[in-house]
Amino acid sequence: IPAHSRSVTDLDWSWKRPDLLCSCSHDSQIKLWDTRQRRSTVAVFDTWADSTRKARFARHHESIVATAHGGEVRLWDIRNPASPTDFITAHTSRILGMDWVSESSRELVTGSEDGGIRYWDANSPRVFQHTIAPNPQADAPVCCIVSDPHEGVVAAQLGRRNATVVLLSKGSSEVSSLPAIAFEDTVKDVVVLVRNGAARVYALNDEHTILVDE
């Protein structure tokens, strides 16, 4: 499907409606696709010529999408794609990773080139709820943020070559860090799954081999 005029930077499936797919690109467009209609977009979001790096459907609401532009997050209602419903001035550096915490939470987590990780409440987006700088590698950017949708455990990838993955678990009032996981490869992406209270991290290296933490 011809989707964008420049490289696609992110794709995300709707958590509530599996027929919906969101794509974003350096061409400044965010597009919503209905997979039942293979060659037509459902909606195009107006980003005012800003490149978009990340797009994530909310897990708690079928109509909310978060997108990352530089250090800013924009919240959208897909029923009205003409303009964002809200803005979050999240970081002073580019956001490289972003995800919703869990299927029952309105919290969003962002990570940026400056190595910082911040938790946000979509209902009160003006002030971050928590900020963390888990930085075993000096000046390592947060290249990826991903959460387990059921347990709310967040994996933050620090750096790409010899990457370190930090696991974060949020209680009622604070965020705690679990032991960090080090990979000797160049890591392109990570996934975290929590089963029976134990978190397991899967990483994809630049040779498209899946690495599993031991």
Side-chain angles (χ1 to χ4, degrees):
I1 300 174
H4 293 273
S5 60
R6 297 183 63 187
S7 59
V8 173
T9 54
D10 202 14
L11 296 168
D12 194 46
W13 292 98
S14 170
W15 185 253
K16 299 289 187 181
R17 294 176 55 186
D19 52 295
L20 290 184
L21 176 69
C22 186
S23 66
C24 61
S25 167
H26 289 310
D27 67 4
S28 81
Q29 290 190 327
I30 305 165
K31 294 184 177 181
L32 192 65
W33 305 84
D34 187 332
T35 55
R36 297 167 300 182
Q37 306 170 23
R38 292 183 178 273
R39 294 193 176 275
S40 62
T41 54
V42 176
V44 179
F45 300 81
D46 185 355
T47 67
W48 308 306
D50 288 340
S51 176
T52 307
R53 180 170 289 272
K54 305 296 292 184
R56 287 290 181 269
F57 276 101
R59 290 170 175 149
H60 68 277
H61 196 294
E62 67 177 19
S63 298
I64 297 177
V65 173
T67 59
H69 312 261
E72 181 181 73
V73 174
R74 297 174 190 172
L75 301 177
W76 306 80
D77 187 325
I78 64 174
R79 296 165 295 186
N80 181 22
S83 61
T85 59
D86 224 324
F87 298 83
I88 300 174
T89 304
H91 298 269
T92 56
S93 299
R94 284 190 306 167
I95 296 169
L96 302 180
M98 178 179 69
D99 205 0
W100 296 89
V101 174
S102 72
E103 60 183 327
S104 60
S105 172
R106 297 176 182 272
E107 285 185 310
L108 188 70
V109 186
T110 58
S112 81
E113 285 181 325
D114 61 16
I117 300 169
R118 288 179 172 176
Y119 281 70
W120 305 88
D121 186 335
N123 287 339
S124 305
R126 295 290 180 258
V127 181
F128 56 82
Q129 305 299 307
H130 304 277
T131 184
I132 305 160
N135 204 352
Q137 300 184 39
D139 301 322
V142 181
C143 297
C144 180
I145 291 280
V146 64
S147 76
D148 179 285
H150 304 292
E151 301 295 333
V153 173
V154 172
Q157 175 193 336
L158 308 180
R160 292 201 182 278
R161 187 179 298 276
N162 298 324
T164 297
V165 176
V166 176
L167 296 178
L168 305 171
S169 178
K170 183 178 179 298
S172 58
S173 60
E174 62 181 20
V175 177
S176 58
S177 296
L178 304 177
I181 302 162
F183 292 97
E184 295 181 357
D185 294 55
T186 297
V187 174
K188 299 179 68 175
D189 204 358
V190 296
V191 173
V192 59
L193 297 175
V194 181
R195 296 295 181 268
N196 300 319
R200 174 59 57 89
V201 173
Y202 300 84
L204 181 70
N205 67 11
D206 55 358
E207 296 178 351
H208 299 97
T209 299
I210 296 176
L211 313 172
V212 183
D213 70 287
E214 300 295 338

